[in-house]
Amino acid sequence: MMQWHYCVHKVRSPGFATCDGLEQALPAWSAAERLADRIWDSGLPPPPAGGAAEGGGCAGALAQLRSLTLRESVELLVVLDCRIANDCIDFRCVPRLNNMEWNMTTLQADDLRHHFLSQSAHAVRRVTRATFGRVRCEARRHDQFEWRDEPVRRLPSCAELQAQAAVFRERLSSYWRDLAQLLSLGATHFSQLLVPLAFERMGNHASDEQLHGWIKDMERVKDMLRTKLTGWVHDMQLASKQVEHYELEEDEDRPGHLIIRRPLLSKHRLRYQPWSLSFDDDFSALCKERQPEASQMFSLADELYAFYRVYWVTAAEYIDSFYGDDFKIVDEEWQLEDRSHDTLSVDTDCVQLLVNALDHPTCPLEDLPLEAVKQREQCREQLWDDVVQRSPHIPVTSYLAYTQRINVNLCLLAWMAVNSYGICQDVPFSMLQSVHDARCYFDSPDDQSCLQSNATDAICSVSRAILLLKCRDFSSIRTFYNCKFTSYAFPLYHSSSSVLYQELTEETLNYRKSLNNATLRYKDFKIDSLKPLEISFILINIIFRFSTAGVYMYLPQLRNLPGKVFLSFQITCMVQILCSEVVYRMAGVPDLPTAVLIDSALTLLSCIWLNSFCYQMYACVRHLRLPDQLLPVEVSQLFRREVLCAFIPWSIVCVAAVALEKTSKHHLIHSRIVVLAGISVSVAFNLVCLGLLGYMYLRTRCSMRQLEIFDNKKFASKKQCLFMSVKAIILSGIGIIIRIGFHQAQGIAQLVYYMHLVTMVQGPVLFVCFVCNGTTLPILKNRILLWWNPTDIPAGLELCSAAERNLPGETMNSLPFQNPSCSLLQYFSQITVSTLHCVKPSNKNGLYLV
């Protein structure tokens, strides 16, 4: 036994098996076994001086032990196991190594490299031996710890149990502190092995130029490995501190036994640490062009991590099996429901950065530009701010706002952030710290001072915890209890235990592909292939809106009160398009939040102009008075009043929204709600006015049916009904509500983009409905024809005397209505109907019903 443990001490690799194949070990563990053989066989010290006859070395020690009984041998083993661990913890078992900076000269110096590699490998052997020794020390001391007085079968008193529990808690705390120190010491020496070990395996045949780049890439892989190991060390240190807070109480079901109630932050959470770095799987193909030996580099890092994970951390969990008969271990569970369906409103630029990292991953061996590094850090801070705000949805009031905020599933966002290609590569994975931060976030929403991570790393920490523990639909890691066993080559003890692992199977790959597809839904808020089409649509929209406004400014017949209100609506829409689609999208000014405020404010102003227009329609029918019956002075006075009534509520809403958004970013949702509420109230007012118009029409129609009036004419043709329906939708503002409501459908960026293109068709539609109709278009045509031949009166307009038709052009233009027609009713029939549709001819004799 002494020779096995301390003279040879070649512990076999743990054996792994799963339900699918009990005889086939996982590839990572085979690599760990090969690496273990290399480490155990390298750096062996020379045999002790002297032989058995002189009583020196191992032979002399064994000769002195032949007289020991089995019990005395076991007691000696306990002492030696504990002594070896204590000596190593005091840094007497390994040399103090500085962080070796490898370059071409030092690596190619065989003596220096072999000496350093032998020294590091020997240190790893000593630390690993000390780790196993500490585990065996604790396991054998367990036999000396009795919870009941066996000779008399007497149950201990409560005070005795509490005293023994305190002793056990202190001893267990000391055990975990020792393991944490050994783990930290081993991690330091372990990372030192990577570069020289890799050079002997793959780098000693490279040219000087290739070797220079190879060393730089290996140092980057070394940093990545050190980041992973740092998370392990931090976890073990936290676990050692939490042991002191274990609660022990008597088990009522088993008198004389105790229950250990472990807190949430116990070493039980260590099993959620990944079993593999996934470097080789994720990055080898990406880095193949840059570094042909990238696959071997990452594979070696995986082997070192697997060795580290198996031989040390799994050995640390091994001690639990010794207390299963004496204790009932109860682990505190995180009392939080599944978060797989929660959504958050986050910054679109950050989501786009995450999507781009997954869609176009870069090789981690490349040096990221300083701007990209800062962008990732700012994105982590921004995402954490968004998560802290806990806004499940921020209303989208414009297409620009859709490109600013987006609703993302919480678990999907966590996966995107902590993915191997995400923005958390340089943040150590400390599972216990992650759980602590996540519980602080969910259980203490108003007090974030309990966070252990800083503001830059908090999103990574919390995301890892909620992804592994509270996202059932988003976690590919499964626990296979009773399907997997781990056997350790301890001569005195053999155990089987359930562990957690992640195997890269076809199912896992399909799962990862499905998550990538779900993530890419948020890709391309603007489709590059449709950019020419978008520019064309915007240009057509602007041209037709300017044309409609020009017609209303050119024709005197359309300069009545409703015409001026409609012209104000058109001008507002044109300014909105120029600000959002031209100035911001093409020039990039102002910043996006300000552009969203301007766009939302102009949308609200457009709705308010429609309020005035719809009210004028209602007033026209209600008071039986056509708009052109007003004098020009009265029209100007009423229009100024309409402008004042429009700008007062608009200013109030805009000032409130700007004040909320500029005061604090936490009030962003409130500012959007204020604007959306204003738009909703405005559209509701339009619907009320149009509803009253419809009600009065139906009531009048019902009354007219009681009169004995016979007419074969219909109210309107199908074309006219279609035009009036489109006008009603435009004037009501329902289209604006539909557009805003459609923008709330997050996660379907392409469809929202198509909807944005559809809104650009509104300009041509307005031109067709309000200009290209049976009344306005002939007037416009006649006015244009009069440019060429002022004396040519079009057919159908010869209703006045020859003397009136022969009036000079100046006198003609000075007439009140500026139209060759002399009949006021005919004037109304030609121009006012095109605007309000309040006048309908009932017969050919010139009678009109309002």
Side-chain angles (χ1 to χ4, degrees):
M1 292 171 59
M2 292 294 298
Q3 183 182 17
W4 174 268
H5 283 290
Y6 302 114
C7 293
V8 178
H9 190 73
K10 183 176 179 180
V11 182
R12 295 190 300 272
S13 294
F16 291 83
T18 63
C19 298
D20 299 331
L22 292 175
E23 297 180 357
Q24 184 177 3
L26 297 179
W29 314 135
S30 300
E33 186 173 3
R34 294 194 303 271
L35 184 62
D37 293 337
R38 170 66 186 272
I39 292 177
W40 298 133
D41 294 337
S42 64
L44 290 177
E54 292 80 6
C58 290
L62 291 176
Q64 298 180 26
L65 296 176
R66 291 194 180 97
S67 61
L68 297 179
T69 63
L70 178 60
R71 183 178 182 83
E72 291 173 340
S73 299
V74 172
E75 291 176 354
L76 181 58
L77 287 176
V78 173
V79 174
L80 290 177
D81 278 327
C82 298
R83 176 64 64 84
I84 289 177
N86 292 335
D87 288 346
C88 202
I89 291 172
D90 294 336
F91 298 97
R92 289 197 295 265
C93 70
V94 293
R96 295 180 179 271
L97 296 178
N98 296 324
N99 187 15
M100 184 68 177
E101 295 293 338
W102 294 103
N103 52 40
M104 296 174 55
T105 304
T106 54
L107 274 178
Q108 292 176 341
D110 294 340
D111 295 340
L112 176 62
R113 187 183 69 254
H114 290 162
H115 172 74
F116 187 89
L117 184 59
S118 175
Q119 202 174 22
S120 296
H122 184 59
V124 170
R125 292 179 63 241
R126 297 291 296 270
V127 173
T128 307
R129 175 169 22 187
T131 303
F132 279 126
R134 188 64 182 91
V135 174
R136 283 192 299 268
C137 172
E138 190 66 25
R140 287 164 179 151
R141 288 173 60 185
H142 166 264
D143 296 337
Q144 307 169 8
F145 201 81
E146 297 180 354
W147 295 93
R148 291 183 295 181
D149 193 350
E150 294 295 340
V152 297
R153 298 291 179 179
R154 179 183 65 84
L155 294 178
S157 63
C158 181
E160 292 175 337
L161 280 178
Q162 292 298 328
Q164 293 184 4
V167 174
F168 172 75
R169 188 187 293 109
E170 174 58 30
R171 199 177 74 185
L172 193 62
S173 177
S174 174
Y175 166 71
W176 277 95
R177 283 196 304 270
D178 293 346
L179 286 181
Q181 293 186 46
L182 290 170
L183 192 67
S184 176
L185 185 62
T188 301
H189 291 276
F190 223 90
S191 59
Q192 296 292 334
L193 277 172
L194 182 63
V195 177
L197 200 61
F199 180 82
E200 293 198 349
R201 177 180 294 190
M202 67 191 80
N204 51 359
H205 300 296
S207 63
D208 291 345
E209 182 178 356
Q210 293 174 340
L211 186 59
H212 180 74
W214 183 92
I215 294 174
K216 183 179 180 181
D217 292 341
M218 275 311 308
E219 288 291 341
R220 182 61 56 84
V221 177
K222 176 183 175 182
D223 293 338
M224 297 169 67
L225 177 63
R226 185 187 295 114
T227 299
K228 297 293 184 179
L229 298 182
T230 300
W232 266 116
V233 172
H234 189 58
D235 264 352
M236 293 294 291
Q237 292 172 346
L238 291 178
S240 65
K241 296 178 181 178
Q242 290 298 326
V243 172
E244 302 174 0
H245 302 289
Y246 283 7
E247 296 182 0
L248 284 84
E249 59 186 44
E250 187 175 3
D251 190 353
E252 297 180 355
D253 298 332
R254 296 193 306 168
H257 290 75
L258 293 178
I259 297 177
I260 298 180
R261 296 193 178 275
R262 295 192 295 197
L264 180 67
L265 303 178
S266 66
K267 64 115 186 143
H268 177 68
R269 299 294 172 189
L270 295 178
R271 64 177 57 191
Y272 288 97
Q273 276 279 4
W275 279 83
S276 175
L277 291 179
S278 300
F279 282 169
D280 188 20
D281 173 64
D282 290 340
F283 299 134
S284 295
L286 292 175
C287 302
K288 186 176 182 180
E289 295 183 1
R290 172 186 172 88
Q291 179 55 255
E293 296 178 342
S295 178
Q296 299 181 51
M297 293 179 176
F298 292 125
S299 296
L300 180 59
D302 274 333
E303 294 173 11
L304 285 168
Y305 181 83
F307 181 91
Y308 184 89
R309 176 74 158 86
V310 172
Y311 276 88
W312 290 337
V313 182
T314 309
E317 292 185 336
Y318 169 70
I319 196 62
D320 273 355
S321 59
F322 293 106
Y323 299 103
D325 296 333
D326 299 311
F327 300 101
K328 179 181 179 181
I329 302 177
V330 179
D331 289 311
E332 177 188 356
E333 293 296 331
W334 193 8
Q335 300 300 324
L336 189 69
E337 67 275 8
D338 185 22
R339 317 299 290 191
S340 297
H341 305 288
D342 292 357
T343 57
L344 283 175
S345 179
V346 297
D347 182 74
T348 303
D349 292 337
C350 288
V351 175
Q352 196 70 52
L353 179 64
L354 298 177
V355 173
N356 292 339
L358 290 170
D359 189 37
H360 302 289
T362 58
C363 174
L365 302 181
E366 300 176 2
D367 292 328
L368 288 177
L370 182 60
E371 182 180 355
V373 175
K374 291 183 177 179
Q375 187 180 14
R376 289 192 174 192
E377 294 179 354
Q378 293 173 358
C379 183
R380 293 205 297 259
E381 293 181 2
Q382 177 64 50
L383 286 178
W384 178 243
D385 289 340
D386 294 337
V387 170
V388 170
Q389 290 180 30
R390 301 170 181 270
S391 300
H393 176 73
I394 293 181
V396 177
T397 53
S398 68
Y399 178 72
L400 294 179
Y402 180 80
T403 63
Q404 181 189 15
R405 308 291 299 184
I406 188 170
N407 296 332
V408 181
N409 182 285
L410 175 63
C411 294
L412 181 60
L413 177 67
W415 180 82
M416 292 164 63
V418 302
N419 188 276
S420 298
Y421 306 131
I423 59 176
C424 296
Q425 296 179 14
D426 58 334
V427 180
F429 185 4
S430 174
M431 189 64 207
L432 268 65
Q433 180 175 322
S434 296
V435 175
H436 178 277
D437 292 342
R439 187 166 64 171
C440 171
Y441 166 72
F442 285 105
D443 297 345
S444 305
D446 299 328
D447 182 16
Q448 298 295 325
S449 61
C450 56
L451 286 176
Q452 292 183 350
S453 300
N454 55 38
T456 306
D457 301 339
I459 184 65
C460 301
S461 180
V462 173
S463 294
R464 283 161 173 161
I466 63 176
L467 181 65
L468 292 175
L469 300 179
K470 295 303 172 184
C471 296
R472 299 172 186 171
D473 297 341
F474 289 82
S475 178
S476 62
I477 298 179
R478 300 291 183 265
T479 304
F480 295 90
Y481 290 105
N482 301 324
C483 289
K484 181 174 171 48
F485 69 90
T486 306
S487 61
Y488 297 94
F490 293 142
L492 298 182
Y493 302 99
H494 298 276
S495 71
S496 297
S497 60
S498 299
V499 295
L500 185 72
Y501 80 103
Q502 181 180 10
E503 183 180 3
L504 194 63
T505 61
E506 183 177 358
E507 179 182 359
T508 307
L509 293 176
N510 292 335
Y511 172 79
R512 181 182 299 180
K513 182 178 179 181
S514 66
L515 285 182
N516 278 323
N517 294 335
T519 302
L520 295 181
R521 290 185 306 171
Y522 302 97
K523 177 187 175 184
D524 291 337
F525 289 90
K526 289 200 313 175
I527 305 173
D528 294 336
S529 60
L530 294 180
K531 191 173 182 179
L533 181 63
E534 180 189 16
I535 295 176
S536 301
F537 273 44
I538 293 174
L539 183 62
I540 293 173
N541 189 18
I542 293 175
I543 291 175
F544 276 96
R545 283 190 181 274
F546 270 101
S547 300
T548 305
V551 170
Y552 268 75
M553 295 178 66
Y554 174 67
L555 293 179
Q557 296 90 336
L558 301 181
R559 295 175 192 167
N560 51 26
L561 182 59
K564 288 186 176 182
V565 173
F566 184 75
L567 181 61
S568 301
F569 166 76
Q570 281 288 79
I571 294 175
T572 302
C573 292
M574 287 188 294
V575 173
Q576 180 182 4
I577 294 172
L578 292 175
C579 289
S580 61
E581 304 298 338
V582 179
V583 177
Y584 171 73
R585 297 278 287 278
M586 296 183 180
V589 292
D591 59 292
L592 182 57
T594 304
V596 170
L597 279 174
I598 295 175
D599 189 73
S600 301
L602 293 176
T603 301
L604 176 61
L605 184 59
S606 301
C607 292
I608 294 179
W609 288 128
L610 293 180
N611 294 158
S612 300
F613 193 89
C614 291
Y615 177 76
Q616 293 299 323
M617 294 178 63
Y618 167 74
C620 168
V621 179
R622 176 70 179 83
H623 300 289
L624 299 178
R625 186 176 67 172
L626 295 177
D628 291 290
Q629 293 176 334
L630 301 174
L631 297 175
V633 177
E634 188 178 3
V635 169
S636 299
Q637 182 180 2
L638 290 175
F639 179 69
R640 285 194 297 268
R641 189 177 66 181
E642 292 290 336
V643 171
L644 183 62
C645 294
F647 273 88
I648 288 177
W650 179 73
S651 301
I652 294 175
V653 174
C654 290
V655 169
V658 172
L660 287 171
E661 186 162 339
K662 296 301 181 180
T663 300
S664 173
K665 56 187 175 183
H666 297 282
H667 296 307
L668 176 63
I669 183 173
H670 303 105
S671 67
R672 297 288 173 80
I673 290 176
V674 168
V675 175
L676 186 59
I679 295 175
S680 302
V681 171
S682 178
V683 173
F685 180 83
N686 293 337
L687 294 176
V688 170
C689 291
L690 294 176
L692 291 175
L693 282 173
Y695 169 73
M696 288 187 292
Y697 164 74
L698 294 176
R699 188 180 64 177
T700 304
R701 183 180 182 184
C702 182
S703 300
M704 293 299 294
R705 285 181 177 179
Q706 299 176 6
L707 301 177
E708 294 183 356
I709 297 177
F710 300 95
D711 192 356
N712 294 328
K713 288 189 175 181
K714 296 182 180 180
F715 170 71
S717 65
K718 292 183 179 179
K719 180 180 178 181
Q720 291 173 335
C721 289
L722 177 62
F723 270 38
M724 285 189 292
S725 300
V726 174
K727 286 182 179 182
I729 293 176
I730 294 175
L731 297 178
S732 66
I734 294 178
I736 296 176
I737 291 295
I738 293 175
R739 185 183 70 214
I740 293 176
F742 200 86
H743 288 168
Q744 314 307 313
Q746 304 290 338
I748 47 176
Q750 293 184 1
L751 297 183
V752 175
Y753 185 64
Y754 296 149
M755 185 68 182
H756 170 64
L757 292 181
V758 170
T759 59
M760 294 295 104
V761 189
Q762 191 179 30
V765 172
L766 287 172
F767 184 83
V768 171
C769 291
F770 288 88
V771 177
C772 300
N773 51 49
T775 54
T776 305
L777 187 60
I779 297 174
L780 178 62
K781 183 182 69 174
N782 294 332
R783 294 279 294 187
I784 294 176
L785 290 177
L786 287 175
W787 289 352
W788 304 100
N789 190 0
T791 60
D792 185 14
I793 305 299
L797 296 180
E798 297 178 351
L799 300 177
C800 301
S801 65
E804 290 173 332
R805 291 198 305 271
N806 293 328
L807 286 174
E810 292 80 4
T811 307
M812 180 77 68
N813 293 333
S814 64
L815 292 177
F817 306 112
Q818 300 179 7
N819 192 296
S821 175
C822 300
S823 171
L824 178 63
L825 291 179
Q826 290 173 347
Y827 172 73
F828 285 153
S829 68
Q830 293 171 357
I831 59 175
T832 309
V833 174
S834 68
T835 304
L836 295 181
H837 299 285
C838 298
V839 181
K840 179 180 84 70
S842 62
N843 53 43
K844 297 181 180 179
N845 298 324
L847 292 179
Y848 291 81
L849 293 177
V850 179

